[in-house]
Amino acid sequence: MKFGVVVFPGSNCDHDTYHVISKLIGQPVRFIWHAETSVADCDVVILPGGFSYGDYLRCGAIASCSPVMRAVRDHAAHGGYVVGICNGFQILCEAGLLPGVLLRNTGLRFCCDFVRIRVERTDTPFTRAYAPCEVITLPIAHGEGNYYCTPEDVRRLEATGGILFRYVDAAGQPTPVANPNGSLHNIAGILNAEGNVLGLMPHPERACEEALGSSDGLRFFQSLMLTLRDAEQQRRVPATVTVSN
Amino acid sequence: MSSTPEPTTDLATTELVVTAELLALHRLTPEEYARLRKLLGRTPTLVELGIFSVMWSEHCSYKSSRVYLKTLPTTGPRVVQGPGENAGILDIGDGWCIAFKIESHNHPSFIEPFQGAATGIGGILRDVFTMGARPVAILNSLRFGLPDDPQNGARNRALLDGVVRGIAHYGNAFGCPTVGGEVYFEDCYTSNPLVNAFALGLVRHDQIFLGKARGVGNPVMYVGAKTGRDGIHGATMASSEFDDDALAKRPTVQVGDPFCEKLLLEACLEAMRAGCIIGIQDMGAAGLTSSSCEMGARAGTGIDLELSLVPQRETGMTPYEIMLSESQERMLLVADSGREREVQEIFAKWGLAAVVVGRVTDTKRLRVYDHGRLVADIANAHLTDDAPRYERPAAPPVGWLPDADARRNVREAELRNAFPIAARHLSGKQIRTDLRRLLQSPNLASRQWIYRQYDHMVRTNTIVLPGADAAVIRIKETRKAVAMTLDGNGRYVFIEPRLGAALAVAEACRNLVAVGAEPIGLTNCLNFASPERPEVMWQLREVIAGMGEAARAFETPIVSGNVSLYNETEGRGVFPTPVIGAVGLVEDVRTVLAPRTLPDGDSVFLLGTTGEDLGGTEYVRRLLGVVAGPAPALDLAAERRLQQCVLEGARRRLLTAAHDCADGGLLIALAEMCFSAHGKAPSGMVLDLPEADGELSRAGFLFGETPGRMVVVVAPQHTAEVVALCQNYGIPSRLLGVVRGDRLTVALGEETVLDEPIAELEHIWRSALSF
């Protein structure tokens, strides 16, 4: 099993994500340069935070057309896991791998802070290490994190469990005050219909050590690690069967 | 450049008619022009006149301040690089060094706050990574007019807003965390806001790069953004006071592109690691001119440039414009001969051009060609060492009493006039009201509205987040961490320049100790009014003396710095405002003291002696509306002992938390320790204080700003050890009370003067500075 962290010109959280995977959960990981055309060696591809291509034109718009994104699309189409964090989420929306778009924060300012996030589902490859409806603390750092989509899309997301993370208050309620950017339905992260592509605005990679203020993000990466381990074991089991035959 | 013709007679044949107007346009005095002409031995060309004007500007030459700056302590066992390079460098052990510097961008930020501040960040980041260091933290120090001023409030707020957005725009996109700083408001900054930016980078000891053009014959390469007509004469603009035409100078402010800078950073560091770079310098103020002649001067070589090879953004640019452009995100580097292609490949990977524009020569001269025609030919020394040095007339302001005690007595009388002794015995009701009003003061209120706009967490090293006494960045590869802070109380410096500067150094070092770091070095940005006024020169001289004195006492060498003069508009200057950047080292990251939820039952101690120090305080300024009274006396030896005492307490892990007790006084310090921080729950305190007596009034005790004091919180099992530790260092320790509940309760003798819910106080404090 292997993780890949895409590096676009202007990616800023690539090293932070790499650090968590290599040092804190001890998994194999490599950087994927934006000009690469294959990600076939990776089980999970992460699009990290930052300002890809300066976020000129529109956040994530230019990155969504870069060569590596064709490979990321193929990877997703074949059921591979894709995670977009912050700018990565914006890129996934721009690339059409996730519905909707991320608008400017309603406060019209960049916002960097710890926020409370409710984990809406724990039966996914990305969240299995959390408790159901657990409220966790993660940092956000964005100027365009205001999630918006069509009424049909949001109905579908709500109906099919596509909303994986929501901004909530201390009581765990998705109130307007708890919403830092004006996102529709307090959405902080969504899953595609197939369940293998995730986009989220909060930064789990910034919350993996208590010294940094929170370690609630570590279980996000551990969830992925467990998912890959199970998949590997399943692959190994039939192999053993073949040998005994 | 073998095809380049030898110096021709072109220079002489196109003789320039040098008029008084032309000189005024270049901000050169007739005396300076006479000096220039004598050095050159002939009439300069227009390009040469432009080159001299920027290199001899105050901004580049430090011509008014250099004689005094020489007196500062700049050496020490950790110093790898002192002043004179793009940034200062200190050794922090295990093969690691830190490079840091602070610079002003005051003038551009007043003209165009967003881009002025943004390019200030861009410039200071380049100063750091040109040394080979990867920037890991940004701080900023800001001064504006009062946001609630009835007449200018709206403009002051707009300036603050533009500057904060500009810093956020550049720092966030570049991917370097903005981890702290300071902002203060005072009338004198209304038409002269101060914007000082600090950056700190990490570099391996054996991978430091200098701005030296070594190796005759080596190619000189231009990398980064193309050259445009922006910022021409930025350095000369920054070296004059403002008048009504200031806004017409907008084209002298540059436009920043943080994305380009991020690519430039990655490309430069990669090329440095590959070993194909010999020397490198940022094209900051005075652009191509300063980078080329300074690199040559430092190495004792010369540089020949061919301007037609310089990548240009606009057509028809003249040699004059190319040499003086201050377009952003550009670097000049000297490559190892024969490895040009390697450099080009690395830069191409990051989407940047790298072009050979010249050669290193043995001439010790800067020679500039345009399509093979020589347009400037000047000895490097004439532009650097031979620049004018002024010992400008310096004299204290009219009425300044030479005797310090006499001055103090006069000021005490002035303060008694504004705030009679009898009025200082505050009632409980007054204390409650005054505390609330102080918490709302823009100088004391939470800076959350500002730092939330900065990405302060990127790169996942920020151990102590903004809002604390100092920020702390861990170094992932080691067990170490680096703390940093900016401090400068212009009010004290205005009252008593020498003492005020020493107080700023003391406070900066104290702030480092409050997070458990040992102060190891300083940088400084000296923001003053016009040096052509004798009292301003006198302030500058006094401030440098006071800063040097304190830096020696704390054994913190000053390794870099910047001077910003002419901060005045229509004859009204700013307070003399030296901003001190202090850097501290923590050997074991686990001993860092971060703000935290204080456990119930811990004891609260005040260390140090409190005097009746109400002069120049925020209390007197905010509640009585005056800047009056003497600056507090500073006992450098006692201050040093206090800091060593707290540092030992932190290292031995005897302290739960520590906090500087300065701005706003003791009650503000205690309230701040109770407030929540970055998702951590708030705490409460129950404090039982003796009634203020004798020399010390209630106002003096609760709101005075005596230096040399800190509040520490100690767990029950460590109290005896902490008391003994203080005795060892000869530091008085006074038990104030305990951490308990969710209220701030203060009894003075028999009377309970304060019993307020922390949540309510925190709400006032947190929402006061938010637009």
Side-chain angles (χ1 to χ4, degrees), chain A residues 9-12 16 19 33 51 53-54 56 108-114 139 141 205-206 209 211-213, chain B residues 161 165 172-175 257 259 262-263 349-350 449 452-460 474 476 680:
Chain A
S11 290
N12 290 337
D16 303 350
H19 169 77
W33 188 239
F51 290 71
Y53 299 91
Y56 294 132
L108 302 181
R109 289 177 191 280
F110 191 92
C111 181
C112 177
D113 211 342
F114 284 100
E205 83 284 6
R206 294 187 182 186
E209 293 164 87
L212 298 174
Chain B
D161 182 52
R165 282 177 189 275
N172 296 352
F174 180 80
D257 178 356
F259 172 59
K262 161 85 174 162
L263 302 179
K349 176 185 158 194
W350 293 97
W449 175 80
R452 259 170 72 112
Q453 299 184 52
Y454 303 145
D455 188 342
H456 43 262
M457 304 181 195
V458 64
R459 302 202 74 79
T460 58
R474 68 169 172 184
K476 280 200 188 91
K680 301 278 183 267

Side-chain angles (χ1 to χ4, degrees), chain B residues 334-469:
Chain B
V334 172
D336 197 1
S337 187
R339 298 181 73 178
E340 295 86 340
R341 182 170 296 254
E342 209 178 322
V343 173
Q344 282 162 339
E345 276 165 7
I346 291 169
F347 279 82
K349 176 185 158 194
W350 293 97
L352 296 171
V355 183
V356 176
V357 294
R359 293 276 163 201
V360 178
T361 69
D362 60 0
T363 59
K364 303 190 180 192
R365 303 179 75 80
L366 169 64
R367 291 191 300 197
V368 182
Y369 297 87
D370 179 40
H371 294 94
R373 188 172 62 92
L374 187 65
V375 293
D377 183 2
I378 312 171
N380 291 325
H382 295 164
L383 297 171
T384 54
D385 295 343
D386 298 338
R389 297 274 178 280
Y390 293 126
E391 204 155 339
R392 295 189 188 273
V398 178
W400 178 263
L401 299 172
D403 180 69
D405 289 335
R407 271 199 318 275
R408 175 165 285 271
N409 288 338
V410 169
R411 296 225 169 89
E412 286 289 6
E414 171 193 271
L415 180 63
R416 277 197 302 274
N417 210 20
F419 194 16
I421 301 290
R424 299 183 193 177
H425 185 81
L426 307 172
S427 67
K429 188 177 166 209
Q430 265 176 310
I431 292 170
R432 289 191 289 279
T433 322
D434 291 352
L435 174 63
R436 281 181 159 70
R437 287 178 66 190
L438 276 185
L439 288 170
Q440 281 180 59
S441 160
N443 286 334
L444 298 175
S446 167
R447 273 79 179 105
Q448 186 185 31
W449 175 80
I450 296 175
Y451 63 70
R452 259 170 72 112
Q453 299 184 52
Y454 303 145
D455 188 342
H456 43 262
M457 304 181 195
V458 64
R459 302 202 74 79
T460 58
N461 294 320
T462 319
I463 297 291
V464 176
L465 296 158
D469 286 324

Side-chain angles (χ1 to χ4, degrees), chain A residues 216-235:
Chain A
D216 287 349
L218 195 57
R219 280 177 290 157
F220 176 81
F221 294 96
Q222 285 167 341
S223 297
L224 275 163
M225 188 179 78
L226 292 174
T227 303
L228 295 186
R229 184 171 297 169
D230 287 356
E232 204 155 87
Q233 268 166 9
Q234 270 175 11
R235 274 201 300 272

Side-chain angles (χ1 to χ4, degrees), chain B residues 548-615:
Chain B
E549 208 175 298
R552 281 187 193 90
F554 296 112
E555 294 175 53
T556 45
I558 297 172
V559 295
S560 58
N562 175 236
V563 180
S564 170
L565 301 177
Y566 298 98
N567 290 290
E568 70 178 63
T569 300
E570 285 155 14
R572 286 195 56 210
V574 297
F575 280 168
T577 313
V579 173
I580 307 296
V583 173
L585 180 62
V586 186
E587 289 291 348
D588 179 351
V589 70
R590 293 169 303 174
T591 66
V592 165
L593 290 174
R596 48 172 293 192
T597 303
L598 306 173
D600 271 11
D602 274 20
S603 301
V604 184
F605 286 91
L606 174 63
L607 310 188
T609 313
T610 304
E612 179 77 1
D613 289 309
L614 286 162

Side-chain angles (χ1 to χ4, degrees), chain B residues 73-83 87-101 131 133 198 200-205 208 475 482-483 512 518-523 555-560 581-585:
Chain B
T74 59
T75 55
R78 291 190 186 277
V79 178
V80 176
Q81 178 64 56
I89 298 186
L90 295 177
D91 191 326
I92 56 166
D94 296 348
W96 285 97
C97 291
I98 48 173
F100 60 96
K101 193 186 185 187
M131 310 293 292
F198 166 103
L200 182 141
L202 270 180
V203 57
R204 296 291 300 171
H205 196 291
I208 294 169
I475 302 170
V482 176
L512 296 177
E518 180 191 2
I520 58 169
L522 306 176
T523 181
E555 294 175 53
T556 45
I558 297 172
V559 295
S560 58
V583 173
L585 180 62

Side-chain angles (χ1 to χ4, degrees), chain A residues 26-222:
Chain A
Q27 296 303 307
V29 53
R30 75 169 182 99
F31 286 120
I32 302 169
W33 188 239
H34 65 106
E36 288 186 35
T37 50
S38 168
V39 296
D41 60 325
C42 297
D43 299 294
V44 180
V45 173
I46 300 181
L47 310 181
F51 290 71
S52 55
Y53 299 91
D55 272 350
Y56 294 132
L57 192 57
R58 217 169 44 239
C59 297
I62 303 176
S64 70
C65 304
S66 68
V68 75
M69 284 309 291
R70 197 169 298 161
V72 172
R73 268 201 195 84
D74 282 352
H75 178 74
H78 290 94
Y81 297 119
V82 177
V83 178
I85 303 170
C86 197
N87 191 224
F89 185 11
Q90 295 164 341
I91 297 168
L92 290 176
C93 289
E94 286 288 341
L97 284 167
L98 287 172
V101 65
L102 291 140
L103 305 174
R104 277 195 86 185
N105 297 349
T106 42
L108 302 181
R109 289 177 191 280
F110 191 92
C111 181
C112 177
D113 211 342
F114 284 100
V115 294
R116 288 192 190 84
I117 304 286
R118 194 172 69 197
V119 183
E120 303 289 87
R121 282 176 60 193
T122 52
D123 59 342
T124 77
F126 309 96
T127 51
R128 49 188 285 187
Y130 291 104
C133 285
E134 187 178 346
V135 175
I136 60 174
T137 300
L138 295 180
I140 53 164
H142 58 247
E144 282 91 1
N146 176 2
Y147 183 78
Y148 183 80
C149 63
T150 61
E152 305 87 75
D153 276 338
V154 80
R155 265 199 301 276
R156 191 188 54 75
L157 283 171
E158 289 282 9
T160 61
I163 300 169
L164 208 48
F165 299 108
R166 243 190 267 261
Y167 303 109
V168 294
D169 63 11
Q173 293 311 304
T175 59
V177 179
N179 187 339
N181 51 31
S183 284
L184 214 58
H185 293 217
N186 281 43
I187 287 172
I190 57 167
L191 202 55
N192 67 345
E194 293 73 27
N196 64 328
V197 177
L198 167 71
L200 73 167
M201 286 315 291
H203 287 272
E205 83 284 6
R206 294 187 182 186
C208 293
E209 293 164 87
E210 262 319 307
L212 298 174
S214 168
S215 57
D216 287 349
L218 195 57
R219 280 177 290 157
F220 176 81
F221 294 96
Q222 285 167 341

